[in-house]
Amino acid sequence: FRLEHRWIHGAEENHTDHRLRYRLQFQSTLAQNFYFKCSDEPFFSFKEANIDQNRFFIGFGKKLATNISVEIGYMKNHIGKNSYDRVRMALFFKTSLCRESLDLISKNDKLSISQ
């Protein structure tokens, strides 16, 4: 769950929008470092008391290193009465600011980033 407060600046007026996001996600390993992913993320608007946006994704990913992965797949995005079909390509970096070392890739992986 995520509760969002957005400040929208328009040509004629400025207003605040509050909404709740929920993502339901399934991920399954297919082979070494490859995975299948499917997710659905509805956006519930408090202003109109309805779901004003929905994102559905289905695709595949590859884990390049401990903290780096790439994904490609199909995304269906409904915004109000509009609907968009997209090919989504993403590169993900997992970081942790709580650890002593801020390495993006562990020492055991083939790739390395020097400090």
Side-chain angles (χ1 to χ4, degrees):
F1 284 103
R2 185 185 324 179
L3 182 60
E4 292 183 338
H5 306 285
R6 301 178 343 153
W7 289 269
I8 301 169
H9 302 286
E12 298 178 12
E13 69 174 322
N14 298 329
H15 65 278
T16 305
D17 187 22
H18 308 286
R19 65 185 186 180
L20 180 69
R21 296 170 67 167
Y22 177 74
R23 183 172 31 186
L24 179 62
Q25 180 173 291
F26 171 77
Q27 186 171 320
S28 178
T29 303
L30 298 175
Q32 183 181 4
N33 298 329
F34 286 96
Y35 59 90
F36 168 78
K37 185 176 188 179
C38 182
S39 66
D40 188 38
E41 185 176 18
F43 294 66
F44 180 79
S45 174
F46 292 105
K47 188 175 186 178
E48 299 172 7
N50 67 353
I51 295 175
D52 65 345
Q53 187 176 154
N54 190 41
R55 295 178 185 163
F56 173 77
F57 174 78
I58 187 167
F60 299 95
K62 180 174 178 19
K63 192 173 181 180
L64 301 176
T66 304
N67 297 321
I68 299 175
S69 62
V70 293
E71 290 181 3
I72 187 166
Y74 168 76
M75 176 176 268
K76 181 73 164 181
N77 193 358
H78 290 279
I79 302 173
K81 295 180 181 179
N82 299 318
S83 179
Y84 303 98
D85 297 302
R86 301 285 188 248
V87 172
R88 185 178 91 172
M89 295 178 281
L91 175 64
F92 295 98
F93 296 94
K94 291 183 184 177
T95 60
S96 175
L97 300 176
C98 300
R99 294 187 322 193
E100 205 172 284
S101 172
L102 294 177
D103 292 339
L104 289 176
I105 302 172
S106 72
K107 305 280 189 243
N108 299 332
D109 291 327
K110 294 176 185 175
L111 301 172
S112 65
I113 296 176
S114 60
Q115 293 182 350

mmCIF file of all heavy atoms in Angstrom, residues 20-47:
data_model
loop_
_atom_site.group_PDB
_atom_site.id
_atom_site.type_symbol
_atom_site.label_atom_id
_atom_site.label_comp_id
_atom_site.label_asym_id
_atom_site.label_seq_id
_atom_site.Cartn_x
_atom_site.Cartn_y
_atom_site.Cartn_z
ATOM 1 N N LEU A 20 -4.785 6.325 -2.958
ATOM 2 C CA LEU A 20 -4.210 5.125 -2.371
ATOM 3 C C LEU A 20 -3.819 4.192 -3.506
ATOM 4 O O LEU A 20 -4.610 3.963 -4.422
ATOM 5 C CB LEU A 20 -5.234 4.448 -1.461
ATOM 6 C CG LEU A 20 -4.805 3.179 -0.760
ATOM 7 C CD1 LEU A 20 -3.763 3.494 0.299
ATOM 8 C CD2 LEU A 20 -6.001 2.509 -0.122
ATOM 9 N N ARG A 21 -2.602 3.680 -3.453
ATOM 10 C CA ARG A 21 -2.118 2.732 -4.460
ATOM 11 C C ARG A 21 -1.895 1.384 -3.788
ATOM 12 O O ARG A 21 -1.401 1.301 -2.680
ATOM 13 C CB ARG A 21 -0.793 3.198 -5.046
ATOM 14 C CG ARG A 21 -0.864 4.467 -5.801
ATOM 15 C CD ARG A 21 0.491 4.996 -6.155
ATOM 16 N NE ARG A 21 1.193 4.151 -7.109
ATOM 17 C CZ ARG A 21 2.278 4.535 -7.759
ATOM 18 N NH1 ARG A 21 2.797 5.733 -7.553
ATOM 19 N NH2 ARG A 21 2.880 3.728 -8.612
ATOM 20 N N TYR A 22 -2.260 0.321 -4.509
ATOM 21 C CA TYR A 22 -2.018 -1.028 -4.011
ATOM 22 C C TYR A 22 -1.464 -1.853 -5.159
ATOM 23 O O TYR A 22 -2.040 -1.870 -6.249
ATOM 24 C CB TYR A 22 -3.298 -1.658 -3.490
ATOM 25 C CG TYR A 22 -3.106 -3.080 -3.032
ATOM 26 C CD1 TYR A 22 -2.450 -3.342 -1.837
ATOM 27 C CD2 TYR A 22 -3.537 -4.147 -3.796
ATOM 28 C CE1 TYR A 22 -2.248 -4.638 -1.418
ATOM 29 C CE2 TYR A 22 -3.339 -5.450 -3.391
ATOM 30 C CZ TYR A 22 -2.694 -5.695 -2.196
ATOM 31 O OH TYR A 22 -2.486 -6.975 -1.783
ATOM 32 N N ARG A 23 -0.343 -2.539 -4.941
ATOM 33 C CA ARG A 23 0.229 -3.384 -5.997
ATOM 34 C C ARG A 23 0.195 -4.840 -5.577
ATOM 35 O O ARG A 23 0.736 -5.213 -4.538
ATOM 36 C CB ARG A 23 1.660 -2.981 -6.322
ATOM 37 C CG ARG A 23 2.204 -3.825 -7.453
ATOM 38 C CD ARG A 23 3.536 -3.405 -7.984
ATOM 39 N NE ARG A 23 4.358 -2.794 -6.972
ATOM 40 C CZ ARG A 23 5.525 -2.233 -7.233
ATOM 41 N NH1 ARG A 23 5.975 -2.187 -8.456
ATOM 42 N NH2 ARG A 23 6.235 -1.706 -6.274
ATOM 43 N N LEU A 24 -0.436 -5.642 -6.420
ATOM 44 C CA LEU A 24 -0.452 -7.087 -6.255
ATOM 45 C C LEU A 24 0.517 -7.638 -7.302
ATOM 46 O O LEU A 24 0.364 -7.357 -8.494
ATOM 47 C CB LEU A 24 -1.856 -7.632 -6.487
ATOM 48 C CG LEU A 24 -2.034 -9.131 -6.367
ATOM 49 C CD1 LEU A 24 -1.691 -9.602 -4.954
ATOM 50 C CD2 LEU A 24 -3.456 -9.518 -6.722
ATOM 51 N N GLN A 25 1.540 -8.410 -6.864
ATOM 52 C CA GLN A 25 2.592 -8.833 -7.771
ATOM 53 C C GLN A 25 2.931 -10.294 -7.576
ATOM 54 O O GLN A 25 2.979 -10.787 -6.453
ATOM 55 C CB GLN A 25 3.836 -7.970 -7.530
ATOM 56 C CG GLN A 25 5.001 -8.292 -8.407
ATOM 57 C CD GLN A 25 6.113 -7.283 -8.222
ATOM 58 O OE1 GLN A 25 5.963 -6.144 -8.609
ATOM 59 N NE2 GLN A 25 7.213 -7.704 -7.625
ATOM 60 N N PHE A 26 3.160 -10.985 -8.697
ATOM 61 C CA PHE A 26 3.607 -12.378 -8.693
ATOM 62 C C PHE A 26 4.901 -12.455 -9.485
ATOM 63 O O PHE A 26 5.003 -11.899 -10.577
ATOM 64 C CB PHE A 26 2.551 -13.286 -9.343
ATOM 65 C CG PHE A 26 3.032 -14.689 -9.566
ATOM 66 C CD1 PHE A 26 3.095 -15.580 -8.510
ATOM 67 C CD2 PHE A 26 3.428 -15.105 -10.825
ATOM 68 C CE1 PHE A 26 3.546 -16.878 -8.714
ATOM 69 C CE2 PHE A 26 3.883 -16.396 -11.042
ATOM 70 C CZ PHE A 26 3.931 -17.286 -9.978
ATOM 71 N N GLN A 27 5.895 -13.145 -8.926
ATOM 72 C CA GLN A 27 7.173 -13.324 -9.610
ATOM 73 C C GLN A 27 7.634 -14.749 -9.401
ATOM 74 O O GLN A 27 7.603 -15.255 -8.280
ATOM 75 C CB GLN A 27 8.204 -12.339 -9.066
ATOM 76 C CG GLN A 27 9.507 -12.360 -9.814
ATOM 77 C CD GLN A 27 10.420 -11.222 -9.397
ATOM 78 O OE1 GLN A 27 9.976 -10.111 -9.176
ATOM 79 N NE2 GLN A 27 11.704 -11.503 -9.292
ATOM 80 N N SER A 28 8.060 -15.407 -10.494
ATOM 81 C CA SER A 28 8.481 -16.800 -10.424
ATOM 82 C C SER A 28 9.758 -17.002 -11.236
ATOM 83 O O SER A 28 9.867 -16.504 -12.359
ATOM 84 C CB SER A 28 7.375 -17.705 -10.973
ATOM 85 O OG SER A 28 7.776 -19.042 -10.945
ATOM 86 N N THR A 29 10.703 -17.753 -10.688
ATOM 87 C CA THR A 29 11.955 -18.041 -11.370
ATOM 88 C C THR A 29 11.717 -19.056 -12.480
ATOM 89 O O THR A 29 11.073 -20.078 -12.271
ATOM 90 C CB THR A 29 12.993 -18.591 -10.380
ATOM 91 O OG1 THR A 29 13.173 -17.638 -9.337
ATOM 92 C CG2 THR A 29 14.316 -18.859 -11.055
ATOM 93 N N LEU A 30 12.222 -18.763 -13.682
ATOM 94 C CA LEU A 30 12.095 -19.680 -14.818
ATOM 95 C C LEU A 30 13.354 -20.520 -14.995
ATOM 96 O O LEU A 30 13.292 -21.711 -15.222
ATOM 97 C CB LEU A 30 11.833 -18.893 -16.103
ATOM 98 C CG LEU A 30 10.549 -18.083 -16.151
ATOM 99 C CD1 LEU A 30 10.492 -17.265 -17.419
ATOM 100 C CD2 LEU A 30 9.356 -19.017 -16.071
ATOM 101 N N ALA A 31 14.496 -19.887 -14.943
ATOM 102 C CA ALA A 31 15.798 -20.538 -15.074
ATOM 103 C C ALA A 31 16.777 -19.696 -14.268
ATOM 104 O O ALA A 31 16.400 -18.680 -13.691
ATOM 105 C CB ALA A 31 16.207 -20.608 -16.537
ATOM 106 N N GLN A 32 18.021 -20.106 -14.264
ATOM 107 C CA GLN A 32 19.021 -19.356 -13.504
ATOM 108 C C GLN A 32 19.045 -17.895 -13.970
ATOM 109 O O GLN A 32 19.263 -17.617 -15.138
ATOM 110 C CB GLN A 32 20.393 -19.982 -13.678
ATOM 111 C CG GLN A 32 21.457 -19.308 -12.859
ATOM 112 C CD GLN A 32 22.819 -19.949 -13.065
ATOM 113 O OE1 GLN A 32 22.986 -20.851 -13.860
ATOM 114 N NE2 GLN A 32 23.799 -19.456 -12.336
ATOM 115 N N ASN A 33 18.768 -16.987 -13.062
ATOM 116 C CA ASN A 33 18.770 -15.540 -13.274
ATOM 117 C C ASN A 33 17.636 -15.004 -14.151
ATOM 118 O O ASN A 33 17.560 -13.815 -14.386
ATOM 119 C CB ASN A 33 20.112 -15.051 -13.832
ATOM 120 C CG ASN A 33 21.247 -15.308 -12.881
ATOM 121 O OD1 ASN A 33 21.064 -15.310 -11.674
ATOM 122 N ND2 ASN A 33 22.418 -15.548 -13.426
ATOM 123 N N PHE A 34 16.731 -15.830 -14.670
ATOM 124 C CA PHE A 34 15.585 -15.379 -15.446
ATOM 125 C C PHE A 34 14.309 -15.572 -14.639
ATOM 126 O O PHE A 34 14.164 -16.567 -13.923
ATOM 127 C CB PHE A 34 15.467 -16.152 -16.769
ATOM 128 C CG PHE A 34 16.495 -15.755 -17.784
ATOM 129 C CD1 PHE A 34 17.665 -16.479 -17.909
ATOM 130 C CD2 PHE A 34 16.291 -14.666 -18.607
ATOM 131 C CE1 PHE A 34 18.622 -16.124 -18.845
ATOM 132 C CE2 PHE A 34 17.244 -14.300 -19.542
ATOM 133 C CZ PHE A 34 18.409 -15.033 -19.660
ATOM 134 N N TYR A 35 13.359 -14.635 -14.771
ATOM 135 C CA TYR A 35 12.108 -14.754 -14.028
ATOM 136 C C TYR A 35 10.928 -14.190 -14.826
ATOM 137 O O TYR A 35 11.105 -13.411 -15.766
ATOM 138 C CB TYR A 35 12.208 -14.056 -12.663
ATOM 139 C CG TYR A 35 12.540 -12.584 -12.720
ATOM 140 C CD1 TYR A 35 11.548 -11.614 -12.798
ATOM 141 C CD2 TYR A 35 13.865 -12.152 -12.670
ATOM 142 C CE1 TYR A 35 11.858 -10.263 -12.834
ATOM 143 C CE2 TYR A 35 14.187 -10.812 -12.705
ATOM 144 C CZ TYR A 35 13.179 -9.873 -12.784
ATOM 145 O OH TYR A 35 13.481 -8.540 -12.829
ATOM 146 N N PHE A 36 9.745 -14.631 -14.450
ATOM 147 C CA PHE A 36 8.478 -14.162 -15.005
ATOM 148 C C PHE A 36 7.833 -13.253 -13.960
ATOM 149 O O PHE A 36 7.893 -13.548 -12.761
ATOM 150 C CB PHE A 36 7.564 -15.363 -15.287
ATOM 151 C CG PHE A 36 6.151 -14.979 -15.592
ATOM 152 C CD1 PHE A 36 5.801 -14.488 -16.833
ATOM 153 C CD2 PHE A 36 5.173 -15.110 -14.625
ATOM 154 C CE1 PHE A 36 4.493 -14.130 -17.111
ATOM 155 C CE2 PHE A 36 3.866 -14.760 -14.885
ATOM 156 C CZ PHE A 36 3.527 -14.264 -16.133
ATOM 157 N N LYS A 37 7.217 -12.171 -14.413
ATOM 158 C CA LYS A 37 6.613 -11.230 -13.471
ATOM 159 C C LYS A 37 5.257 -10.763 -14.003
ATOM 160 O O LYS A 37 5.118 -10.469 -15.187
ATOM 161 C CB LYS A 37 7.533 -10.036 -13.285
ATOM 162 C CG LYS A 37 7.091 -9.042 -12.248
ATOM 163 C CD LYS A 37 8.163 -7.963 -12.120
ATOM 164 C CE LYS A 37 7.922 -7.026 -11.003
ATOM 165 N NZ LYS A 37 8.979 -6.013 -10.894
ATOM 166 N N CYS A 38 4.293 -10.673 -13.101
ATOM 167 C CA CYS A 38 2.959 -10.180 -13.430
ATOM 168 C C CYS A 38 2.500 -9.315 -12.262
ATOM 169 O O CYS A 38 2.641 -9.714 -11.100
ATOM 170 C CB CYS A 38 2.017 -11.352 -13.646
ATOM 171 S SG CYS A 38 0.362 -10.860 -14.116
ATOM 172 N N SER A 39 1.949 -8.119 -12.553
ATOM 173 C CA SER A 39 1.498 -7.252 -11.467
ATOM 174 C C SER A 39 0.295 -6.423 -11.910
ATOM 175 O O SER A 39 0.083 -6.189 -13.100
ATOM 176 C CB SER A 39 2.620 -6.328 -10.995
ATOM 177 O OG SER A 39 2.973 -5.408 -12.005
ATOM 178 N N ASP A 40 -0.490 -6.010 -10.941
ATOM 179 C CA ASP A 40 -1.630 -5.136 -11.169
ATOM 180 C C ASP A 40 -1.608 -4.080 -10.067
ATOM 181 O O ASP A 40 -1.435 -4.403 -8.890
ATOM 182 C CB ASP A 40 -2.937 -5.914 -11.147
ATOM 183 C CG ASP A 40 -4.108 -5.060 -11.581
ATOM 184 O OD1 ASP A 40 -3.947 -4.234 -12.506
ATOM 185 O OD2 ASP A 40 -5.197 -5.205 -10.993
ATOM 186 N N GLU A 41 -1.771 -2.805 -10.462
ATOM 187 C CA GLU A 41 -1.689 -1.710 -9.495
ATOM 188 C C GLU A 41 -2.845 -0.728 -9.712
ATOM 189 O O GLU A 41 -2.768 0.157 -10.561
ATOM 190 C CB GLU A 41 -0.344 -1.000 -9.653
ATOM 191 C CG GLU A 41 -0.092 0.062 -8.629
ATOM 192 C CD GLU A 41 1.291 0.667 -8.768
ATOM 193 O OE1 GLU A 41 1.932 0.527 -9.824
ATOM 194 O OE2 GLU A 41 1.730 1.301 -7.796
ATOM 195 N N PRO A 42 -3.929 -0.881 -8.947
ATOM 196 C CA PRO A 42 -5.019 0.098 -9.032
ATOM 197 C C PRO A 42 -4.730 1.321 -8.161
ATOM 198 O O PRO A 42 -4.079 1.219 -7.124
ATOM 199 C CB PRO A 42 -6.237 -0.666 -8.515
ATOM 200 C CG PRO A 42 -5.669 -1.700 -7.618
ATOM 201 C CD PRO A 42 -4.293 -2.031 -8.145
ATOM 202 N N PHE A 43 -5.213 2.478 -8.597
ATOM 203 C CA PHE A 43 -5.084 3.745 -7.871
ATOM 204 C C PHE A 43 -6.489 4.163 -7.437
ATOM 205 O O PHE A 43 -7.338 4.449 -8.289
ATOM 206 C CB PHE A 43 -4.503 4.838 -8.771
ATOM 207 C CG PHE A 43 -3.095 4.602 -9.210
ATOM 208 C CD1 PHE A 43 -2.765 3.552 -10.044
ATOM 209 C CD2 PHE A 43 -2.091 5.448 -8.794
ATOM 210 C CE1 PHE A 43 -1.472 3.358 -10.458
ATOM 211 C CE2 PHE A 43 -0.786 5.265 -9.212
ATOM 212 C CZ PHE A 43 -0.480 4.202 -10.046
ATOM 213 N N PHE A 44 -6.730 4.223 -6.158
ATOM 214 C CA PHE A 44 -8.039 4.611 -5.627
ATOM 215 C C PHE A 44 -8.004 6.092 -5.262
ATOM 216 O O PHE A 44 -7.199 6.516 -4.447
ATOM 217 C CB PHE A 44 -8.384 3.775 -4.394
ATOM 218 C CG PHE A 44 -9.706 4.118 -3.794
ATOM 219 C CD1 PHE A 44 -10.881 3.637 -4.345
ATOM 220 C CD2 PHE A 44 -9.786 4.926 -2.681
ATOM 221 C CE1 PHE A 44 -12.103 3.957 -3.791
ATOM 222 C CE2 PHE A 44 -11.000 5.258 -2.115
ATOM 223 C CZ PHE A 44 -12.164 4.768 -2.675
ATOM 224 N N SER A 45 -8.887 6.869 -5.889
ATOM 225 C CA SER A 45 -8.943 8.306 -5.645
ATOM 226 C C SER A 45 -9.979 8.615 -4.569
ATOM 227 O O SER A 45 -11.122 8.168 -4.644
ATOM 228 C CB SER A 45 -9.315 9.042 -6.931
ATOM 229 O OG SER A 45 -9.497 10.414 -6.678
ATOM 230 N N PHE A 46 -9.595 9.390 -3.555
ATOM 231 C CA PHE A 46 -10.522 9.778 -2.492
ATOM 232 C C PHE A 46 -11.446 10.903 -2.936
ATOM 233 O O PHE A 46 -12.537 11.058 -2.410
ATOM 234 C CB PHE A 46 -9.757 10.212 -1.242
ATOM 235 C CG PHE A 46 -9.042 9.078 -0.585
ATOM 236 C CD1 PHE A 46 -7.673 8.940 -0.697
ATOM 237 C CD2 PHE A 46 -9.748 8.136 0.136
ATOM 238 C CE1 PHE A 46 -7.010 7.888 -0.097
ATOM 239 C CE2 PHE A 46 -9.091 7.079 0.744
ATOM 240 C CZ PHE A 46 -7.730 6.954 0.629
ATOM 241 N N LYS A 47 -11.008 11.674 -3.922
ATOM 242 C CA LYS A 47 -11.796 12.818 -4.388
ATOM 243 C C LYS A 47 -13.107 12.369 -5.030
ATOM 244 O O LYS A 47 -14.164 12.924 -4.768
ATOM 245 C CB LYS A 47 -10.968 13.634 -5.382
ATOM 246 C CG LYS A 47 -11.581 14.933 -5.790
ATOM 247 C CD LYS A 47 -10.618 15.707 -6.676
ATOM 248 C CE LYS A 47 -11.131 17.075 -6.987
ATOM 249 N NZ LYS A 47 -10.175 17.836 -7.792
#
